């Protein structure tokens, strides 16, 4: 846990190793940024850095919710499909119909106001999380299996809903949330960082946050301490669903288009962000700050490789290797501290 | 006994520091082949740390290790094992779904020419070692079906099969019943006669004086002395450990309170056989009065823990009524129980109570967080830390700070953190299941005093303990149980170990 001031260490200077453990993902990120800035001067340009942030803001949002889930020792594989479904629903409400842009009817039908789109996207995510959370807590099916089912089912629902084609060309207020800027800051980045701060406060300073760590740390002890483990477990799936729903809206806004194949493979990026950020897949250990750093790390990696014209195939290989290395580094540092 | 032989293992000037604590300072000890060495000391004295250094799990900051007269490094558990040093941990390293035989010879199974496992030979070889320690079980039984004591014996069998020279056991008796303890001590004796060396840690001094040739005592991370057991006075031993004599330790108030009205009333409590714990409860009736400590005695399988868990809502009940302060309460979960003012200090702190990777402060406050909230949401960390500080002082919890991970506390201090968690809740009824497991004698006396104080403040206390002297020391009234039924109920003043033993084992169980 990042706030533990006196963890063990093999060295005489406790603080050095403890500090290193706490900031291991950050160190990794800085090294990576340094390497890229040497190899490719364009990397450090202000425009490019904001670009990176904009790119990670959507998977980053989901990763915030995923942090709660993984802290309890769970997992959610369905987030990418929920993104697609929520984006479609939000987009259709903005357009006033779910007719996709392949259909000839190009009249600007009277759509619903923004708040309806956003609310609906959030509700879709919340509903998806609720259904899966109930299945996990009452049917006693492992989260991996339930959400693997969700991965397929919600994608299917998205395809069914959209009829296969994209829904595009939204109004200005809608597009603002994905494409707009406040000063130099892209709006989705502000949304991401704002929610990150909120999640940080919830996990670190509220009773609910304490309970999440407790359930992940030792579910039986949590139950015997009077915690409602079922409700808590259920709640984290609702939270990640909610974030996936909001992310679906933001993504459709940024692309000015919603389609059923949006968010394909997001679960990998999202889970990688959380785990690279130092959250343990076994639950009970991790932080939002770590997740933010993890998300940025992946964004920087992809961006740097693109700038250097590395082929997308090679990119995938490199990203895979880096994910493993980053976690290995984190484990190594923490392992030293345990000794 | 091979008194004159050179030491098998000798440690010189071992020092080990952790941030904020010096766990060991300049400690030396030696152990000879054919000897059982007891390692004693208060909670946090450094016993486990020393054993971890010998078993290669931790490395000392200073000092030398000599093995059979030659300087040796024990940098990893593997290196230690290759020299024949085997550690039997409190959490067993067994694979529950494999058989006894597979566990004993894991990674070293005898093979046929075809490369497949030679099962008959595996079973035979396992039988050979297990019989040496009197474990009379089918080698093809799955380890999952064994009791804690039997699993421990499987670990010892594995150690024997590896030709080990030195066997290390950290508090091996703390989770065992009295008969099981006796059996383990007999095994240690036979290991000694087979020429092995044994180092073992215990907080029960009679065990140490019963089986050890010598004892080494640590105090505050320093060597307080090593003495042959022959001719050693119990009082001197205690003084070495705590720096005080025994009379100053055990202070049981001579005058007991007059118990008040009934606070906890249990009527016809029953469970069904499908619950996680073994013993089925058959219609338990029990009252605990305000200011009263009711001790529950019984052998393993008597249903004591099952009773505690059923009252606390941790396991489902098949029927029965529970009343607190005269009004019926619906307890279907620990959450309900806590709301009704009932607390439970569970039997196994690692599995049932602690969040090992979390800070002491978070472990302490988890059940009582409601007291430390502002706006009903945010944790007031200052108030939380102050409350912890209060209990740190009353319970003398040894820790470098509230932010320390609880896994880094010594076993006894972990137990105190769990106690503090429940005290902070200020319950009306407190059930404690083995409250002093792994707690040193001085702290044990403190816990006893504390329970007494709680009762004095009007709390109804139900205390389960496998140690009869402890039950006798703390209770106002003692209930004995056997096979899920109450077999006796007598005032502590009239109880003796013999009487209790008879009620626990012989009393007819009326169906
Ligand atoms: N990894 C660690 N990090 C920090 N402090 C530690 C660590 N391990 C042990 N300590 C501290 O070192 C001291 C000695 O601990 P140790 O576990 O050896 O005590 P012990 O004698 O085995 O006590 P007990 O009888 O309660 O088991 C304690 O103060 C403990 O908090
Ligand atoms: Mg210990």
């Amino acid at each position: 846990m990042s706030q533990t001031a006196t963890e063990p260490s093999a060295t005489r200077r406790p603080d050095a190793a403890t500090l290193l453990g706490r900031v291991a993902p950050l160190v990794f990120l800085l090294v990576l940024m340094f390497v890229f800035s040497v190899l490719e001067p364009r990397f450090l340009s202000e425009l490019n850095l904001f670009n990176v942030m904009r790119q990670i803001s959507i998977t980053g949002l989901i990763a915030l919710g995923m942090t709660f889930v993984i802290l309890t020792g769970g997992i959610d594989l369905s987030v990418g499909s929920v993104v697609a479904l929520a984006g479609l629903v939000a987009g259709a409400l903005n357009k006033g119909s779910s007719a996709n842009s392949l259909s000839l009817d190009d009249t600007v039908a009277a759509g619903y106001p923004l708040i309806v789109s956003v609310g609906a996207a959030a509700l879709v995510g919340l509903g998806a999380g609720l259904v899966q959370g109930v299945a996990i807590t009452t049917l006693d099916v492992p989260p991996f299996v339930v959400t693997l089912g969700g991965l397929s089912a919600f994608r299917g629902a998205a395809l069914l809903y959209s009829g296969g084609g994209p829904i595009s060309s939204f109004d200005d207020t809608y597009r603002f949330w994905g494409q707009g800027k406040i000063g130099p800051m892209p709006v989705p980045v502000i949304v991401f960082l704002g929610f990150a701060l909120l999640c940080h406060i919830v996990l670190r300073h509220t009773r609910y946050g304490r309970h999440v760590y407790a359930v992940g740390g030792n579910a039986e002890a949590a139950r015997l301490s009077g915690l409602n483990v079922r409700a808590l477990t259920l709640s984290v799936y609702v939270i990640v669903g909610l974030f996936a729903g909001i992310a679906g809206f933001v993504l459709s806004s940024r692309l000015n288009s919603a389609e059923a194949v949006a968010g394909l493979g997001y679960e990998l990026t999202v889970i990688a962000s959380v785990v690279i950020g130092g959250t343990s897949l076994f639950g009970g250990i991790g932080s939002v700050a770590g997740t933010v750093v993890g998300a940025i790390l992946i964004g920087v990696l992809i961006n740097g490789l693109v700038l250097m014209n590395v082929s997308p195939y090679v990119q995938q290989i490199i990203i895979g290797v880096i994910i493993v290395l980053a976690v290995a580094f984190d484990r190594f540092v923490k392992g030293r501290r345990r000794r | 006994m091979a008194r004159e032989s050179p030491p098998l293992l000798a440690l010189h000037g071992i020092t080990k520091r952790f941030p904020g604590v010096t766990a060991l300072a300049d400690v030396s000890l030696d152990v000879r082949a054919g000897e059982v060495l007891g390692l004693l000391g208060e909670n946090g004295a450094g016993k486990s740390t020393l054993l971890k250094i010998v078993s290669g799990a931790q490395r000392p900051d200073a000092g030398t290790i000599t093995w059979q007269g030659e300087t040796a490094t024990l940098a990893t558990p593997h290196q230690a094992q290759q020299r024949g040093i085997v550690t039997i941990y409190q959490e067993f390293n067994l694979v529950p779904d494999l058989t006894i035989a597979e566990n004993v010879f894991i990674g070293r199974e005898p093979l046929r020419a075809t490369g497949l496992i030679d099962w008959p030979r595996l079973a035979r070889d396992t039988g050979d070692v297990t019989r040496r320690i009197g474990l009379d079980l089918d080698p093809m039984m799955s380890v999952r079906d064994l009791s804690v004591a039997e699993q421990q014996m499987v670990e010892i069998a594995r150690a024997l099969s590896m030709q080990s020279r030195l066997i290390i056991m950290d508090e091996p008796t703390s989770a065992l019943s009295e008969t099981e303890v006796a059996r383990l001590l007999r095994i240690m004796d036979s290991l000694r006669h087979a020429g092995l060396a044994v180092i073992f840690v215990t907080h029960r001094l009679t065990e140490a004086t019963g089986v050890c040739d010598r004892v080494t005592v640590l105090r505050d991370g320093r060597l307080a002395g090593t003495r042959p057991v022959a001719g050693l006075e119990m009082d001197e031993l205690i003084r070495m450990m705590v720096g005080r004599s025994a009379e100053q330790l055990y202070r049981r108030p001579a005058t007991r309170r007059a118990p008040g009205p009934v606070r906890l009333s249990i009527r016809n409590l029953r469970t069904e056989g499908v619950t996680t714990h073994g013993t089925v409860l058959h219609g338990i009736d029990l009252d605990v009065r305000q200011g009263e400590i009711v001790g529950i005695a019984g052998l393993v399988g008597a249903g004591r823990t099952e009773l505690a868990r059923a009252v606390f809502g941790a396991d489902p009940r098949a029927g029965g009524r529970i009343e607190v302060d005269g009004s019926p309460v619906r307890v279907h979960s620990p959450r309900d129980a806590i709301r009704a003012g009932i607390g439970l200090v569970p039997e196994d702190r690692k599995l049932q109570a602690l969040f090992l990777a979390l800070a002491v402060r978070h472990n302490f406050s988890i059940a009582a967080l409601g007291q430390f909230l502002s706006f009903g949401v945010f944790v007031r960390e200052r108030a939380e830390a102050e409350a912890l500080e209060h209990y740190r002082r009353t319970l003398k919890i040894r820790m470098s700070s509230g932010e320390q991970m609880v896994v880094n506390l010594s076993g006894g201090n972990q137990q105190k953190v769990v106690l503090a968690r429940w005290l902070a809740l200020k319950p009306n009824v407190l059930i404690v299941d083995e409250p002093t497991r792994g707690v040193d004698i001085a702290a044990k006396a403190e816990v006893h005093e504390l329970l007494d104080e709680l009762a004095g403040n009007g709390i109804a206390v139900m205390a389960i303990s496998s140690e009869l002297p402890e039950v006798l020391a703390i209770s106002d009234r003692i209930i004995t149980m056997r096979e899920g039924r109450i077999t006796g109920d007598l005032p502590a003043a009239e109880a003796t170990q013999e009487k209790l033993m008879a009620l626990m084992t012989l009393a007819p169980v009326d169906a």
Side-chain angles (χ1 to χ4, degrees):
Chain A
M1 280 222 29
S2 48
Q3 82 225 55
T4 356
T6 46
E7 280 163 340
S9 104
T11 65
R12 288 275 194 82
R13 291 180 326 229
D15 290 348
T18 310
L19 217 62
L20 186 59
R22 191 182 305 171
V23 300
L26 193 60
V27 172
F28 208 87
L29 173 63
L30 292 177
V31 169
L32 201 65
M33 290 180 70
F34 176 75
V35 170
F36 280 137
S37 62
V38 169
L39 295 178
E40 175 54 71
R42 275 180 304 165
F43 173 78
L44 274 186
S45 76
E46 190 182 325
L47 189 71
N48 186 53
L49 289 182
F50 276 123
N51 204 12
V52 170
M53 286 303 288
R54 191 204 290 271
Q55 268 160 9
I56 65 143
S57 58
I58 287 162
T59 49
L61 265 177
I62 311 169
L64 296 176
M66 191 69 83
T67 306
F68 286 77
V69 173
I70 294 183
L71 275 176
T72 65
I75 195 89
D76 186 350
L77 303 176
S78 73
V79 288
S81 304
V82 175
V83 162
L85 185 60
L88 282 167
V89 171
L93 287 168
N94 183 259
K95 302 286 284 186
S97 86
S98 67
N100 62 51
S101 22
L102 299 181
S103 56
L104 290 173
D105 174 21
D106 211 20
T107 53
V108 184
Y112 294 93
L114 177 73
I115 184 78
V116 176
S117 289
V118 177
L123 271 180
V124 167
L126 195 143
L130 194 66
V131 169
Q132 298 185 102
V134 167
I136 290 163
T137 50
T138 61
L139 305 183
D140 206 26
V141 182
F144 186 93
V145 177
V146 168
T147 60
L148 191 62
L151 169 89
S152 173
F154 295 122
R155 183 69 64 189
L159 287 162
L160 199 65
Y161 181 78
S162 72
I167 303 174
S168 334
S169 310
F170 307 122
D171 61 34
D172 289 350
T173 54
Y174 193 98
R175 288 204 315 270
F176 171 77
W177 292 91
Q179 300 178 347
K181 283 184 177 186
I182 295 178
M185 276 287 240
V187 173
V189 175
I190 297 173
V191 173
F192 167 52
L193 293 179
F195 274 117
L197 185 65
L198 180 71
C199 289
H200 171 81
I201 291 172
V202 168
L203 279 179
R204 284 289 290 279
H205 297 294
T206 69
R207 166 158 65 176
Y208 176 76
R210 291 284 181 87
H211 285 180
V212 168
Y213 280 99
V215 167
N218 184 344
E220 178 62 4
R223 189 175 79 93
L224 292 178
S225 301
L227 274 56
N228 190 341
V229 175
R230 263 193 193 183
L232 284 161
T233 307
L234 176 64
S235 73
V236 296
Y237 291 94
V238 172
I239 290 174
V240 74
L242 197 61
F243 275 107
I246 295 169
F249 159 72
V250 176
L251 179 66
S252 68
S253 158
R254 195 183 100 203
L255 301 177
N256 193 18
S257 169
E259 25 180 352
V261 291
L264 216 52
Y266 271 19
E267 62 280 352
L268 284 184
T269 315
V270 167
I271 294 168
S273 303
V274 177
V275 171
I276 288 178
T279 298
S280 161
L281 279 171
F282 299 109
I285 303 173
S287 68
V288 169
T291 295
V292 171
V293 171
I296 296 177
L297 205 152
I298 291 185
V300 162
L301 193 61
I302 295 174
N303 175 269
L305 294 174
V306 169
L307 285 183
M308 285 160 53
N309 286 323
V310 176
S311 108
Y313 305 149
V314 178
Q315 275 181 37
Q316 291 208 11
I317 296 174
I318 294 180
I319 289 171
V321 172
I322 295 281
I323 288 175
V324 176
L325 281 183
V327 175
F329 180 63
D330 187 55
R331 285 294 123 87
F332 173 72
V333 173
K334 290 204 171 114
R336 272 181 61 80
R337 285 186 302 152
R338 285 270 154 71
R339 226 177 261 152
Chain B
M1 257 139 275
R3 263 293 132 71
E4 308 311 322
S5 56
L8 182 65
L9 172 83
L11 307 179
H12 285 289
I14 298 289
T15 296
K16 175 76 183 174
R17 296 188 196 86
F18 294 110
V21 217
T22 301
L24 294 170
D26 195 22
V27 172
S28 303
L29 70 74
D30 60 72
V31 58
R32 306 182 178 107
E35 172 182 60
V36 177
L37 178 73
L39 186 58
L40 306 180
E42 290 184 278
N43 294 132
K47 304 177 296 293
S48 297
T49 307
L50 194 62
L51 295 190
K52 281 180 194 151
I53 287 170
V54 174
S55 65
Q58 291 189 334
R59 275 198 257 181
D61 294 326
T64 55
I65 300 173
T66 321
W67 177 255
Q68 294 186 305
E70 286 169 30
T71 310
T73 44
L74 302 171
T76 64
H78 184 69
Q79 279 183 16
Q81 252 173 41
Q82 281 194 321
R83 294 181 192 273
I85 303 176
V86 180
T87 309
I88 293 170
Y89 290 100
Q90 197 97 59
E91 297 80 35
F92 303 128
N93 294 316
L94 298 175
V95 187
D97 287 318
L98 294 186
T99 61
I100 295 177
E102 286 170 290
N103 269 290
V104 168
F105 283 97
I106 198 159
R108 301 171 293 130
E109 297 90 346
L111 301 181
R112 294 175 186 278
T114 53
L116 298 176
I117 292 178
D118 185 347
W119 286 99
R121 181 148 160 240
L122 179 62
R124 221 171 33 243
D125 289 358
T126 306
D128 287 346
V129 261
T130 51
R131 262 193 305 280
R132 272 174 68 189
I133 54 171
L135 180 67
D136 217 0
L137 291 174
D138 179 3
M140 289 300 139
M141 260 180 86
S142 155
V143 159
R144 186 181 290 291
D145 300 326
L146 305 185
S147 72
V148 172
E150 287 164 345
Q151 293 189 20
Q152 192 174 49
M153 292 174 72
V154 173
E155 288 255 2
I156 296 174
R158 176 155 76 191
L160 283 178
S161 75
M162 289 197 286
Q163 316 295 333
S164 40
R165 313 284 309 274
L166 170 62
I167 297 185
I168 295 172
M169 300 191 227
D170 196 351
E171 300 193 30
T173 56
S174 66
L176 303 188
S177 69
E178 282 188 33
T179 41
E180 290 165 343
V181 169
R183 180 164 63 169
L184 180 64
L185 297 188
R186 277 201 304 279
I187 293 173
M188 286 192 200
D189 190 48
S190 71
L191 294 177
R192 161 173 45 211
H193 285 115
L196 276 77
V198 177
I199 305 182
F200 108 105
V201 173
T202 181
H203 288 295
R204 303 187 194 145
L205 303 189
T206 48
E207 287 173 12
T209 52
V211 71
C212 297
D213 300 288
R214 294 183 302 151
V215 291
T216 292
V217 178
L218 298 182
R219 186 161 87 223
D220 285 339
R222 295 178 179 280
L223 186 67
T226 298
R227 299 274 188 282
V229 163
L232 181 65
E233 292 290 326
M234 201 60 101
D235 215 41
E236 184 189 354
L237 192 53
I238 293 174
R239 222 181 357 258
M240 282 168 75
M241 287 171 63
V242 303
R244 278 174 286 160
S245 70
E247 292 92 75
Q248 289 165 280
L249 270 182
Y250 292 97
R251 282 182 291 131
R252 182 165 183 266
T255 55
R256 306 296 283 186
R257 307 156 296 274
V262 174
R263 290 211 91 161
L264 172 70
S265 161
I266 303 167
R267 284 291 169 274
N268 196 20
L269 183 84
R270 283 167 291 125
T271 61
E272 264 156 19
V274 286
T275 57
T276 45
H277 282 259
T279 309
V280 178
L281 300 175
H282 305 278
I284 302 286
D285 294 316
L286 178 61
D287 287 335
V288 186
R289 292 171 176 277
Q290 180 174 350
E292 186 183 42
I293 302 181
V294 173
I296 313 248
L299 300 176
V300 172
R304 297 164 299 165
T305 294
E306 287 79 356
L307 174 60
R309 289 178 60 94
V311 172
F312 189 62
D315 288 332
R317 289 184 303 270
R321 276 209 343 245
I322 298 172
E323 288 178 7
V324 174
D325 290 330
S327 33
V329 289
R330 297 166 52 85
V331 175
H332 296 297
S333 68
R335 199 177 163 73
D336 294 340
I338 290 169
R339 266 205 218 106
I342 306 174
L344 169 70
V345 174
E347 162 180 50
D348 185 325
R349 61 175 168 265
K350 282 234 168 77
L351 292 180
Q352 301 169 337
L354 291 174
F355 307 96
L356 289 174
L358 295 187
V360 171
R361 176 162 57 92
H362 295 200
N363 270 278
F364 156 70
S365 65
I366 188 73
L369 270 179
Q371 296 171 16
F372 306 115
L373 296 184
S374 50
F375 308 111
V377 180
F378 298 103
V379 180
R380 288 183 295 131
E381 311 209 341
R382 174 80 59 84
E384 188 188 23
E386 279 165 9
L388 173 59
E389 176 58 19
H390 168 76
Y391 288 104
R392 187 190 66 72
R393 260 188 270 119
T394 14
L395 298 180
K396 304 201 178 67
I397 304 175
R398 226 194 250 226
M399 58 192 196
S400 52
S401 93
E403 310 310 312
Q404 194 174 7
M405 273 199 277
V406 90
V407 68
N408 291 333
L409 295 192
S410 79
N413 285 299
Q414 291 177 349
Q415 182 71 19
K416 291 181 186 177
V417 171
V418 177
L419 275 169
R421 173 190 299 168
W422 291 101
L423 296 185
L425 260 178
K426 307 206 166 32
N428 300 326
V429 176
L430 183 63
I431 308 173
V432 291
D433 195 353
E434 307 289 355
T436 61
R437 177 170 288 177
V439 170
D440 69 52
I441 48 163
K444 202 169 192 165
E446 283 156 14
V447 170
H448 293 174
E449 261 181 62
L450 188 84
L451 290 176
D452 203 65
E453 221 175 277
L454 291 175
N457 293 339
I459 296 180
V461 180
M462 196 167 125
I464 298 170
S465 172
S466 296
E467 291 175 57
L468 286 183
E470 173 162 56
V471 175
L472 286 164
I474 59 179
S475 314
D476 296 302
R477 193 153 65 85
I478 300 174
I479 302 288
T480 57
M481 287 184 71
R482 184 180 158 213
E483 292 174 19
R485 292 185 172 86
I486 289 182
T487 56
D489 181 344
L490 62 170
E494 292 170 20
T496 61
Q497 292 215 28
E498 292 69 37
K499 267 193 201 168
L500 292 179
M501 213 49 191
L503 288 166
M504 284 155 55
T505 53
L506 307 172
V509 170
D510 42 311

Short mmCIF file of all heavy atoms in Angstrom, two decimals, chain B residues 42-49 51-52 90 170-171 201 203 349 409-412 438, ligand 2:
data_model
loop_
_atom_site.label_atom_id
_atom_site.label_comp_id
_atom_site.label_asym_id
_atom_site.label_seq_id
_atom_site.Cartn_x
_atom_site.Cartn_y
_atom_site.Cartn_z
N GLU B 42 9.31 -13.30 24.69
CA GLU B 42 8.02 -12.63 24.55
C GLU B 42 7.68 -12.39 23.09
O GLU B 42 8.52 -12.55 22.21
CB GLU B 42 8.08 -11.27 25.27
CG GLU B 42 8.14 -11.38 26.77
CD GLU B 42 8.09 -10.00 27.38
OE1 GLU B 42 9.12 -9.34 27.44
OE2 GLU B 42 7.00 -9.58 27.76
N ASN B 43 6.46 -11.95 22.85
CA ASN B 43 6.05 -11.58 21.49
C ASN B 43 6.95 -10.48 20.98
O ASN B 43 7.17 -9.48 21.66
CB ASN B 43 4.61 -11.08 21.47
CG ASN B 43 3.62 -12.17 21.83
OD1 ASN B 43 2.75 -11.98 22.65
ND2 ASN B 43 3.79 -13.33 21.23
N GLY B 44 7.47 -10.69 19.78
CA GLY B 44 8.32 -9.67 19.20
C GLY B 44 9.75 -9.72 19.68
O GLY B 44 10.55 -8.84 19.38
N ALA B 45 10.10 -10.78 20.43
CA ALA B 45 11.47 -10.88 20.95
C ALA B 45 12.46 -11.21 19.83
O ALA B 45 13.66 -10.97 19.99
CB ALA B 45 11.54 -11.95 22.04
N GLY B 46 11.96 -11.76 18.73
CA GLY B 46 12.84 -12.04 17.60
C GLY B 46 12.99 -13.52 17.29
O GLY B 46 13.83 -13.90 16.47
N LYS B 47 12.17 -14.36 17.89
CA LYS B 47 12.29 -15.81 17.69
C LYS B 47 12.06 -16.20 16.24
O LYS B 47 12.88 -16.90 15.65
CB LYS B 47 11.28 -16.54 18.60
CG LYS B 47 11.41 -16.20 20.06
CD LYS B 47 10.35 -16.90 20.89
CE LYS B 47 8.92 -16.49 20.55
NZ LYS B 47 8.57 -15.10 20.89
N SER B 48 10.95 -15.75 15.70
CA SER B 48 10.64 -16.14 14.31
C SER B 48 11.69 -15.60 13.36
O SER B 48 12.08 -16.26 12.40
CB SER B 48 9.26 -15.62 13.91
OG SER B 48 8.27 -16.20 14.71
N THR B 49 12.15 -14.40 13.62
CA THR B 49 13.17 -13.81 12.76
C THR B 49 14.43 -14.66 12.77
O THR B 49 15.03 -14.93 11.73
CB THR B 49 13.48 -12.38 13.22
OG1 THR B 49 12.25 -11.65 13.32
CG2 THR B 49 14.42 -11.69 12.26
N LEU B 51 14.66 -17.84 13.43
CA LEU B 51 14.41 -19.09 12.71
C LEU B 51 14.40 -18.87 11.20
O LEU B 51 14.86 -19.71 10.44
CB LEU B 51 13.07 -19.70 13.15
CG LEU B 51 13.01 -20.17 14.61
CD1 LEU B 51 11.74 -20.95 14.85
CD2 LEU B 51 14.22 -21.00 14.96
N LYS B 52 13.90 -17.72 10.78
CA LYS B 52 13.88 -17.44 9.34
C LYS B 52 15.30 -17.32 8.82
O LYS B 52 15.59 -17.68 7.68
CB LYS B 52 13.10 -16.16 9.05
CG LYS B 52 11.60 -16.39 9.08
CD LYS B 52 10.84 -15.11 8.79
CE LYS B 52 9.37 -15.27 9.17
NZ LYS B 52 8.77 -14.00 9.58
N GLN B 90 4.06 -22.65 10.16
CA GLN B 90 2.72 -22.68 10.74
C GLN B 90 1.69 -22.91 9.64
O GLN B 90 0.77 -23.69 9.79
CB GLN B 90 2.45 -21.37 11.45
CG GLN B 90 1.30 -21.44 12.40
CD GLN B 90 1.77 -21.68 13.81
OE1 GLN B 90 2.53 -20.90 14.35
NE2 GLN B 90 1.35 -22.76 14.40
N ASP B 170 8.22 -23.48 14.34
CA ASP B 170 7.82 -22.22 14.98
C ASP B 170 6.41 -22.37 15.54
O ASP B 170 5.45 -22.45 14.78
CB ASP B 170 7.89 -21.09 13.95
CG ASP B 170 7.88 -19.71 14.62
OD1 ASP B 170 7.64 -19.65 15.84
OD2 ASP B 170 8.10 -18.72 13.92
N GLU B 171 6.29 -22.41 16.82
CA GLU B 171 5.00 -22.57 17.50
C GLU B 171 4.16 -23.72 16.93
O GLU B 171 3.01 -23.53 16.55
CB GLU B 171 4.20 -21.26 17.46
CG GLU B 171 4.95 -20.13 18.14
CD GLU B 171 4.07 -18.91 18.40
OE1 GLU B 171 2.86 -19.09 18.59
OE2 GLU B 171 4.61 -17.79 18.42
N VAL B 201 9.87 -23.39 18.99
CA VAL B 201 9.40 -22.21 19.70
C VAL B 201 8.06 -22.52 20.33
O VAL B 201 7.21 -23.15 19.71
CB VAL B 201 9.22 -21.02 18.73
CG1 VAL B 201 8.57 -19.84 19.44
CG2 VAL B 201 10.53 -20.62 18.11
N HIS B 203 5.17 -20.84 23.52
CA HIS B 203 4.91 -19.92 24.63
C HIS B 203 4.48 -20.66 25.88
O HIS B 203 4.25 -20.05 26.91
CB HIS B 203 3.83 -18.91 24.22
CG HIS B 203 4.33 -17.90 23.24
ND1 HIS B 203 5.30 -16.99 23.56
CD2 HIS B 203 4.04 -17.68 21.94
CE1 HIS B 203 5.56 -16.24 22.50
NE2 HIS B 203 4.81 -16.65 21.50
N ARG B 349 -6.29 -16.29 13.34
CA ARG B 349 -6.18 -14.87 12.99
C ARG B 349 -5.78 -14.65 11.54
O ARG B 349 -6.24 -13.72 10.90
CB ARG B 349 -5.22 -14.16 13.94
CG ARG B 349 -3.82 -14.68 13.90
CD ARG B 349 -2.89 -13.85 14.77
NE ARG B 349 -1.63 -14.54 14.93
CZ ARG B 349 -1.35 -15.32 15.95
NH1 ARG B 349 -2.23 -15.49 16.91
NH2 ARG B 349 -0.20 -15.95 16.02
N LEU B 409 4.22 -7.65 11.83
CA LEU B 409 4.21 -7.75 13.28
C LEU B 409 4.47 -9.20 13.68
O LEU B 409 4.19 -10.12 12.93
CB LEU B 409 2.85 -7.35 13.85
CG LEU B 409 2.38 -5.92 13.69
CD1 LEU B 409 1.16 -5.68 14.57
CD2 LEU B 409 3.48 -4.95 14.06
N SER B 410 4.98 -9.39 14.89
CA SER B 410 5.14 -10.76 15.38
C SER B 410 3.75 -11.33 15.65
O SER B 410 2.77 -10.61 15.79
CB SER B 410 5.99 -10.76 16.64
OG SER B 410 5.21 -10.38 17.74
N GLY B 411 3.68 -12.67 15.70
CA GLY B 411 2.40 -13.35 15.82
C GLY B 411 1.56 -12.87 16.99
O GLY B 411 0.36 -12.60 16.85
N GLY B 412 2.17 -12.75 18.15
CA GLY B 412 1.42 -12.34 19.32
C GLY B 412 0.88 -10.92 19.18
O GLY B 412 -0.23 -10.61 19.63
N GLY B 438 -0.66 -18.07 20.59
CA GLY B 438 0.55 -17.41 20.12
C GLY B 438 0.93 -16.17 20.92
O GLY B 438 1.80 -15.42 20.53
MG1 LIG C 2 6.89 -15.63 16.00
#
